[in-house]
Amino acid sequence: AQKITQTQPGMFVQEKEAVTLDCTYDTSDPSYGLFWYKQPSSGEMIFLIYQGSYDQQNATEGRYSLNFQKARKSANLVISASQLGDSAMYFCAMREGRENQGGKLIFGQGTELSVKP
Amino acid sequence: SQTIHQWPATLVQPVGSPLSLECTVEGTSNPNLYWYRQAAGRGLQLLFYSVGIGQISSEVPQNLSASRPQDRQFILSSKKLLLSDSGFYLCAWSRTGVHQPQHFGDGTRLSIL
């Protein structure tokens, strides 16, 4: 079963507008972490933001915020004031608490974001 | 600060040839290490991970292997490459802990001819 689902293969947003990238997850582990990564066309994976399962508040990092709805098992990424440089592939990922599995990340299939001038 | 180095950046190899991709981490000790493969336009597939020297866990059966001869060195190998081994290979490291992100190298684009 898919543990991380990103239902939007591609998204368009106008420059300076906000955009929400969807991510739902599935786990029975009470302790887990949720991460978002950005992959520009050059290929490197850039860590953007983290949300812990026990965190009471939504994570924020500059223009990035995470809309964490635990009961719905969703962890959507919100990018405010989009810039042309935000055009990239975005991946949602989950790390479960069982470190005997090496702390591996489970990735979604990604959402390709295109920012229009 | 911690850095991760991965090389080469690009590699073109004939079918049936061997492969060795190397990844090293600086600025931390006893990291968890990971090898991923990414097909064009697709998500990341975890190939191997390691929690310590000589400890390798394989996620997907294939003709690739991994080794960790030193604490901060992770090597991806193959004795005979297949066409299906083409892709973008990424190495990553992390600390232990559910809140720890993985940090990635710049990747190797491997083309098999």
Side-chain angles (χ1 to χ4, degrees), chain A residues 31-33 35 37 39 41-45 47 50 91 95-97 99-105 107-109, chain B residues 32 34 36 38 41-44 46 49 51 59 88 90 94-102 104-106 109:
Chain A
S31 175
Y32 53 89
F35 304 83
Y37 286 84
Q39 187 178 38
S41 56
S42 51
E44 72 267 31
M45 292 285 285
F47 165 61
Y50 159 80
F91 290 96
R95 180 168 180 168
E96 292 172 307
E99 287 300 306
N100 62 349
Q101 294 191 19
K104 57 187 179 182
L105 283 179
F107 283 87
Q109 288 301 302
Chain B
N32 292 347
Y34 310 85
Y36 290 89
Q38 185 179 29
R42 304 288 298 278
L44 277 71
L46 179 63
Y49 67 90
V51 299
E59 287 291 295
F88 188 52
L90 287 155
S94 78
R95 293 191 177 94
T96 299
V98 71
H99 61 288
Q100 296 290 345
Q102 289 183 12
F104 288 80
D106 290 340
R109 294 196 186 277

Side-chain angles (χ1 to χ4, degrees), chain B residues 63-112:
Chain B
N63 73 322
L64 298 172
S65 62
S67 62
R68 184 170 177 172
Q70 300 180 46
D71 182 44
R72 291 168 289 175
Q73 184 185 28
F74 205 24
I75 297 172
L76 183 69
S77 304
S78 174
K79 292 181 180 178
K80 278 188 176 183
L81 285 167
L82 307 173
L83 283 173
S84 58
D85 291 324
S86 292
F88 188 52
Y89 289 82
L90 287 155
C91 180
W93 77 272
S94 78
R95 293 191 177 94
T96 299
V98 71
H99 61 288
Q100 296 290 345
Q102 289 183 12
H103 303 278
F104 288 80
D106 290 340
T108 296
R109 294 196 186 277
L110 177 63
S111 298
I112 310 299

Side-chain angles (χ1 to χ4, degrees), chain A residues 104-117:
Chain A
K104 57 187 179 182
L105 283 179
I106 304 164
F107 283 87
Q109 288 301 302
T111 295
E112 185 165 9
L113 177 67
S114 298
V115 180
K116 294 180 177 180

Side-chain angles (χ1 to χ4, degrees), chain A:
Chain A
Q2 268 292 50
K3 286 208 167 187
I4 295 285
T5 304
Q6 294 181 252
T7 57
Q8 307 151 312
M11 291 271 293
F12 288 93
V13 65
Q14 204 66 38
E15 194 178 7
K16 299 181 184 176
E17 292 186 351
V19 63
T20 298
L21 307 183
D22 295 341
C23 173
T24 57
Y25 61 92
D26 183 30
T27 181
S28 56
D29 198 327
S31 175
Y32 53 89
L34 297 159
F35 304 83
W36 277 91
Y37 286 84
K38 172 184 179 181
Q39 187 178 38
S41 56
S42 51
E44 72 267 31
M45 292 285 285
I46 303 166
F47 165 61
L48 295 177
I49 195 168
Y50 159 80
Q51 180 83 45
S53 58
Y54 295 120
D55 292 344
Q56 296 296 312
Q57 292 189 323
N58 288 340
T60 59
E61 283 289 345
R63 294 187 298 110
Y64 304 109
S65 61
L66 206 152
N67 184 359
F68 181 46
Q69 298 187 46
K70 195 170 181 177
R72 293 187 176 185
K73 292 189 175 179
S74 75
N76 299 338
L77 177 70
V78 180
I79 305 174
S80 63
S82 297
Q83 302 172 355
L84 295 178
D86 294 334
S87 294
M89 198 77 166
Y90 288 80
F91 290 96
C92 179
M94 178 174 65
R95 180 168 180 168
E96 292 172 307
R98 289 164 287 180
E99 287 300 306
N100 62 349
Q101 294 191 19
K104 57 187 179 182
L105 283 179
I106 304 164
F107 283 87
Q109 288 301 302
T111 295
E112 185 165 9
L113 177 67
S114 298
V115 180
K116 294 180 177 180

